[in-house]
Amino acid sequence: MTTEDVVRVIAEVSGVPAEQIAGIGGERIDYEQALGGSVFGQRDAVGVVAGELRRIKAGLAGASGGPASVMLFAGLTGTGKTELAKTVASFYSASKRLVTYPMANFTEAHSVSGIIGSPPGYIGYERGGKLINELNADPYGVFLLDEAEKAHSEVWRPFLNLFDEGWIVDQRGVKAHGDRAIFILTSNAGAEIISRMTREGRPEKEIVAAVKEALLRVGDQSRGGPVFSPEFMARIDRIIVFRPLDLEAMVGICLKTVDKQRAWWLEKREKELVVPESLIDYVARRGHLANEESGGKEGGRVIGKLLKELIDQPLLLEGERREEEFRRCDRIECVFHAAGPDGPWTEIRFSPAQEKEQEKETETETETEQETRWQEVQE
């Protein structure tokens, strides 16, 4: 057994990154480029998160107490908040997994038990607090507190000490340290402010300040007070704004989605999927228009809906109609028609892959040559 094997096993058991155990810095990562490949149209947000990751890697995160970083991603649905959080987890967490807490499940004061466990005498007490258990299992974890504004204000009380001192205790008295973990909150509150101020060309600092004020005004309907206290907001390291998606971002989302579709068809069905640029351009433009008309509420998800209409549905219909041809084909070609009786449509063609055809032609030529030589020998 080598030193690398020992380091790998300890990392898997403890949740501590292997390079941390080995005492090395790990590979150098261009965070802007790596993060920018997962989300589109959010250059400022990517830059801020990349700066946080560099600060953590340099060992500066624990200087003021609290977790490695506490960030709040603010913006409309479908602008890349969750996707960016997943990418952060893939770089930072030993498990490469994003631990998600849908805060819409914590709308009552007693639902805090889902964080710190049930009180003594109640069912589930012996299991302890979920967050405490997960922090102890993966001290370098990345935790997503999704739709934070929907939680009851009492649910945030245990986080005050966690975000300040870096530790939290459950109902059993078990303590967990979160000083090496990253916490990311997401919120749609202030999304309209972001859209309006972005159209007005306001600077990033002004938008962040306006979003912070909007978050402080979010009310707890069951309690009558604010969801986020000023003390809680003061413990958030960075409020990061996700702006409405522009046309360039829609093109990027479309290309990424189509690439995933191509990879799936090749891996799962051993078929090459060919999608023309004209279809990608149309989907991106139509998606951008739909997003603009909805006030930014559609987000990047509208791209997936359009691709289903123009690729998935016609492909499945043709596959059922021409079942044998579909089964035997190696290549699926989508031919996009911008105009038709019922609007834009996609023609689906099934054919052997070009390489397969060339190989068959070569094999045929070789067989013919062999037959000719055999006939010459016989003569």
Side-chain angles (χ1 to χ4, degrees):
M1 180 178 287
T2 65
T3 303
E4 289 77 11
D5 293 329
V6 174
V7 169
R8 178 178 54 79
V9 172
I10 294 175
E12 290 177 357
V13 173
S14 66
V16 179
E19 61 268 18
Q20 188 81 10
I21 297 171
I24 58 177
E27 60 178 316
R28 187 179 298 275
I29 300 174
D30 184 342
Y31 289 115
E32 276 86 356
Q33 182 177 356
L35 296 173
S38 65
V39 295
F40 302 92
Q42 307 297 346
R43 183 177 300 175
D44 292 336
V46 166
V48 175
V49 175
E52 282 292 290
L53 291 175
R54 278 194 295 268
R55 183 179 66 86
I56 294 168
K57 190 171 184 179
L60 303 176
S64 57
S69 183
V70 180
M71 296 178 277
L72 190 148
F73 292 176
L76 286 163
T77 299
T79 51
K81 301 190 295 294
T82 302
E83 196 64 32
L84 186 56
K86 288 179 181 178
T87 308
V88 170
S90 70
F91 288 134
Y92 185 76
S93 173
S95 65
K96 311 298 182 186
R97 181 175 64 95
L98 179 67
V99 182
T100 302
Y101 284 73
M103 301 312 291
N105 295 340
F106 299 87
T107 56
E108 302 293 336
H110 62 79
S111 58
V112 70
S113 61
I115 304 292
I116 60 174
S118 301
Y122 285 80
I123 296 174
Y125 166 75
E126 67 282 354
R127 292 196 296 267
K130 182 180 178 183
L131 179 59
I132 286 76
N133 294 336
E134 288 183 320
L135 273 172
N136 284 327
D138 187 2
Y140 285 83
V142 178
F143 297 84
L144 178 69
L145 310 177
D146 197 26
E147 295 185 306
E149 76 279 6
K150 294 184 178 180
H152 193 281
S153 55
E154 286 298 311
V155 172
W156 295 115
R157 191 175 294 277
F159 288 92
L160 285 171
N161 191 76
L162 175 60
F163 289 173
D164 187 32
E165 299 294 333
W167 54 268
I168 186 172
V169 178
D170 69 8
Q171 294 282 13
R172 300 170 301 170
V174 175
K175 190 175 186 179
H177 292 275
D179 55 324
R180 290 163 289 180
I182 293 176
F183 290 87
I184 299 173
L185 294 77
T186 67
S187 176
N188 295 332
E192 293 182 2
I193 294 173
I194 294 171
S195 297
R196 174 175 55 80
M197 296 184 76
T198 297
R199 289 194 302 269
E200 294 172 356
R202 300 288 190 89
E204 188 79 6
K205 287 185 179 179
E206 284 188 24
I207 299 177
V208 169
V211 169
K212 186 174 182 179
E213 290 297 320
L215 289 168
L216 287 168
R217 291 194 299 269
V218 175
D220 185 338
Q221 295 180 358
S222 63
R223 185 169 171 265
V227 173
F228 305 115
S229 65
E231 295 80 12
F232 180 83
M233 293 300 299
R235 286 164 169 77
I236 295 175
D237 297 319
R238 304 299 295 264
I239 295 176
I240 300 170
V241 169
F242 283 68
R243 298 173 180 270
L245 299 173
D246 57 16
L247 178 58
E248 183 180 351
M250 288 295 188
V251 172
I253 293 170
C254 190
L255 286 169
K256 183 180 179 180
T257 307
V258 169
D259 284 343
K260 286 183 178 179
Q261 288 181 315
R262 288 190 183 115
W264 186 89
W265 278 100
L266 193 61
E267 180 183 352
K268 302 295 184 180
R269 296 291 186 268
E270 296 183 351
K271 299 179 189 297
E272 179 188 5
L273 178 66
V274 180
V275 180
E277 291 184 9
S278 57
L279 190 151
I280 292 171
D281 182 68
Y282 171 80
V283 168
R285 290 182 181 279
R286 185 177 164 192
H288 179 251
L289 179 61
N291 189 48
E292 290 281 303
E293 291 174 346
S294 70
K297 294 179 181 179
E298 287 283 355
R301 292 182 175 88
V302 68
I303 297 297
K305 297 175 185 176
L306 293 170
L307 288 175
K308 286 179 182 178
E309 292 177 8
L310 291 170
I311 296 180
D312 295 355
Q313 291 178 7
L315 198 161
L316 292 173
L317 287 172
E318 287 300 303
E320 292 176 358
R321 191 173 68 86
R322 298 147 58 193
E323 186 175 352
E324 183 63 21
E325 189 180 352
F326 170 72
R327 187 181 64 80
R328 297 178 61 182
C329 82
D330 296 304
R331 178 186 174 93
I332 302 171
E333 186 177 359
C334 300
V335 181
F336 179 65
H337 300 273
D342 299 318
W345 64 288
T346 305
E347 177 188 354
I348 303 297
R349 296 176 182 174
F350 301 136
S351 61
Q354 292 180 357
E355 291 183 2
K356 296 283 186 181
E357 289 179 347
Q358 292 174 358
E359 289 175 4
K360 288 180 180 179
E361 289 176 1
T362 303
E363 290 174 0
T364 303
E365 290 175 359
T366 303
E367 290 174 0
T368 303
E369 290 174 358
Q370 289 176 346
E371 289 176 2
T372 302
R373 284 198 297 271
W374 176 248
Q375 291 174 358
E376 291 176 351
V377 169
Q378 288 181 322
E379 291 175 357

